[in-house]
Amino acid sequence: MIEVPRACATADKIAREADFFSFDTNDLTQTTLGFSRDDAEGKFLQAYLQQKIITENPFMVLDRQGVGKLMQMAVQLGRQTKPDLPIGICGEHGGEPSSIEFCHLIGLDFASCSPYRVSIAQLAAAQATVKHGR
């Protein structure tokens, strides 16, 4: 599980021993942004959304500029060490369409999400493949 920014930065070393990577993007989002989901959603996140300080809840839609860059770095570093390393995502972002599209763009192989989001994830993955190829 890739859950913290340091794991992304040292993914080349982790890949030496790993059979696969799976990004736990909920934890990675919390550690990247420096606040817990419970605190953010319960205290200030709604105000940030209403005031347009942010456009999306980063726990619902993957933060491509921050968390996404870390993921992209980990994919590149991990596959420099092990080119065929299977890499995926798990959690809520694994069933959100724009997050699935981003994962497709950076070369992820699989997504794991709650059962009720599987059909959404499958459709989003198919649409990303049609739109971007691969």
Side-chain angles (χ1 to χ4, degrees):
M1 295 295 288
I2 304 293
E3 300 176 309
V4 296
R6 189 174 194 287
C8 295
T10 60
D12 52 338
K13 292 173 182 39
I14 295 170
R16 292 179 194 156
E17 304 299 326
D19 294 325
F20 67 94
F21 284 176
S22 183
F23 291 103
D24 177 348
T25 52
N26 183 51
D27 285 347
L28 188 56
T29 297
Q30 291 183 97
T31 58
T32 299
L33 298 178
F35 49 74
S36 76
R37 182 177 190 165
D38 291 339
D39 288 344
E41 288 183 333
K43 295 180 181 168
F44 60 86
L45 197 56
Q46 288 304 315
Y48 282 15
L49 289 164
Q50 290 170 352
Q51 295 173 26
K52 303 204 184 321
I53 295 169
I54 58 174
T55 58
E56 302 281 351
N57 178 336
F59 296 105
M60 303 292 285
V61 178
L62 189 70
D63 165 35
R64 293 183 184 199
Q65 293 178 346
V67 176
K69 278 189 181 180
L70 290 168
M71 291 172 64
Q72 189 171 18
M73 176 175 52
V75 169
Q76 291 169 348
L77 290 171
R79 290 207 173 125
Q80 283 175 6
T81 299
K82 200 176 276 184
D84 295 328
L85 183 69
I87 304 176
I89 184 174
C90 68
E92 194 157 352
H93 294 116
E96 195 281 316
S98 69
S99 302
I100 291 288
E101 179 183 31
F102 178 77
C103 291
H104 176 83
L105 291 170
I106 65 170
L108 269 57
D109 303 302
F110 63 89
S112 173
C113 61
S114 65
Y116 77 93
R117 298 192 83 171
V118 169
S119 59
I120 295 167
Q122 289 173 324
L123 179 59
Q127 289 173 330
T129 301
V130 169
K131 185 176 178 181
H132 303 287
R134 182 166 167 234

